Amino acid sequence: METVIDLDAIAHNMRILREHAGDAAVMAVVKADGYNHGAVEVGRAALAAGAAELGVTTVGEAVQLRAAGITAPILCWLHSTDTDFAAAVAADVEIGISSVAQLRAVEAAARDLGRPATVTVKVDTGLNRNGVPPLAYPEVLTTLRTLVDEGLVRFRAIFSHLAHADEPEHPNNDAQRARFLEAIATAKEHGLEPELVHIANSAATLTRPDLAFDLVRPGIAMYGLSPIPGDDFGLRPAMTFQARVALVKRVAAGEGVSYGHQWIAPHDTTVALIPAGYADGVFRPMSGRFDVWLGGAPRRNVGRVCMDQFVVDLGDNAAGVQEGDTAILFGARPHAQQWADLLDTIHYEVVCAPRGRVTRRYVGGDR
Ligand SMILES: *Cc1c(COP(=O)(O)O)cnc(C)c1O
């Protein structure tokens, strides 16, 4: 079984995002191994399609992109007490900081290396997750100003993240915008002039041009999944999760299929065995409720999804499905959103699911 990643879809989606971004530059978010699509390959495809920068969560992810030869600006923004900031400084990775303690740790790394760190301030404008909260902000700014004056830090940007971007009309978006503008003004009062400011994720990029500022930071939309269900914006899913039929067999009426015989064949039928299970990212709670696309039609899973395999019903198999045929678990059709609906989650989690034994293959792009 494999995920097939269409790099032409990444380029297509990037073009749509750039149209929406207007004059703002685009930072392609490739955290979590490019939402499980491959950070290096997606990062390269995004840059080739006009993204200016890459964004990831951790220093480790950023350093991996550098090691792969990517020279574009890379920002990382989530750190813990044992984060290796020296690795970030050495690799010329921009560090998004959320506290004075992080700033001090970055300072130490810059001193050790004898080389300035590039720092961006993440301000908390109401998500209350990472980012500098209002009470800590003045001390962050005075500390930062000192480090800039000492030549230990290059101050690059101020950014923030939205809580309700998937509801474009939600008043919290305006509230966060107002707090963001205030935070920028406060930094300027401290003599800190950001080169750029940014707050928009995919949803805001596609629906709120007033939040584009200097740069937008789309993730999910670049992978072809709409952050706003019901409007696809012309995006094309880049990931197809597929597996080859391992066995085709007859099952007699009255026979039960898979553990616990949750499904009993109501009549003589033909089934196909798909060698992918919950260890590979096929969620067991979907048992009996999802279809794969196989032999030109949707085929319902029957019986429980197991660790390594599940079964689909082919009925009389008029389509002539054979061993070796490819079943699409999700991609253009069925869509990751259908899995998300069944699982009461979001498609972000669905594309992050394929793992372990699942191999990855790239198509399209200029490789
Ligand atoms: C993940 C993330 C993004 C991208 O969000 P999408 O909803 O996938 O577009 C942008 N900015 C930050 C800070 C993030 O953590």
Side-chain angles (χ1 to χ4, degrees), residues 212-234:
F213 292 99
D214 303 307
L215 175 141
V216 295
R217 303 188 311 268
I220 197 71
M222 178 176 61
Y223 303 99
L225 299 175
S226 172
I228 306 205
D231 190 347
D232 75 5
F233 299 96

Side-chain angles (χ1 to χ4, degrees), residues 171-185:
N172 190 70
N173 294 316
D174 300 313
Q176 284 196 257
R177 180 177 195 275
R179 288 183 183 179
F180 188 51
L181 291 172
E182 210 178 298
I184 296 161

Side-chain angles (χ1 to χ4, degrees), residues 29 31 35 77 122 129 159 161 201-202 217-220 348:
V29 176
K31 63 192 181 190
Y35 293 40
W77 55 69
K122 184 166 195 191
R129 214 177 56 175
F159 80 116
H161 197 38
N201 60 1
S202 294
R217 303 188 311 268
I220 197 71
Y348 293 69

